[in-house]
Amino acid sequence: MRKVCFANQPAGEKMDKTHDIQAIMKFLPHRYPFILVDRVLELIPGERVTALKNVTINEPFFQGHFPAYPIMPGVLIVEAMAQAAGVLALQSMPEDKQGRPVFFMGMDKVRFRKPVVPGDQLLLKIEILKSRSNIVKASAKALVEDNVVAEAEIMATLG
């Protein structure tokens, strides 16, 4: 795997602070109600990211999925993992590519293990498996209280 640096941070070095929602919105084009990453807790460019999504009853999808038993749709859990992977991909690219969009290309080996409900904190753990030119393949896991609730391999391309 080729390690690259971003924002004057050497490749493979852990970032020195967390990224809050304001910083995340500088990396991702998503906005409410579709931004699904609230905070980046740890990021090592070219290697991995750990991010957080706070799941609240105020999420618009809970109105219809399902009113009597609200659970977070699996496709949105995968989207949250993809957004965290997008932050990692952008942080792992050279500065001249940082303004370009990241597009979700595909997913493999997707598994849902347990439902995610209001009040949960979804911990998103993403590790880069391969990185070539403008394409990144990553392993993604979503956890609630140390239990894996979903996992996938995801691919993205730099636009």
Side-chain angles (χ1 to χ4, degrees), residues 39-148:
R39 181 171 299 276
V40 173
L41 304 173
E42 176 189 46
L43 191 142
I44 300 174
E47 291 182 20
R48 68 179 181 268
V49 67
T50 301
L52 182 67
K53 165 66 178 151
N54 292 305
V55 181
T56 72
I57 193 64
N58 297 325
E59 306 282 356
F61 50 80
F62 284 133
Q63 293 177 23
H65 198 266
F66 304 100
Y69 183 70
I71 62 171
M72 185 173 183
V75 68
L76 293 181
I77 296 170
V78 173
E79 175 64 23
M81 292 188 294
Q83 288 181 20
V87 170
L88 175 59
L90 286 170
Q91 289 278 294
S92 299
M93 294 294 164
E95 283 193 53
D96 64 327
K97 294 185 179 184
Q98 67 181 274
R100 296 168 68 183
V102 177
F103 298 110
F104 192 19
M105 289 178 57
M107 55 187 165
D108 293 312
K109 301 179 184 175
V110 179
R111 296 287 180 263
F112 301 103
R113 307 286 181 205
K114 295 182 180 197
V116 175
V117 298
D120 285 345
Q121 283 194 322
L122 199 58
L123 194 65
L124 309 165
K125 294 189 171 211
I126 316 300
E127 292 185 17
I128 292 178
L129 297 173
K130 292 180 187 176
S131 179
R132 291 187 188 159
S133 182
N134 291 336
I135 297 176
V136 175
K137 184 174 184 177
S139 167
K141 288 186 180 182
L143 299 96
V144 173
E145 296 180 358
D146 295 325
N147 296 309
V148 176

Side-chain angles (χ1 to χ4, degrees), residues 28-40:
L28 298 178
H30 306 79
R31 296 296 178 264
Y32 177 84
F34 213 68
I35 190 155
L36 299 173
V37 176
D38 293 324
R39 181 171 299 276
V40 173

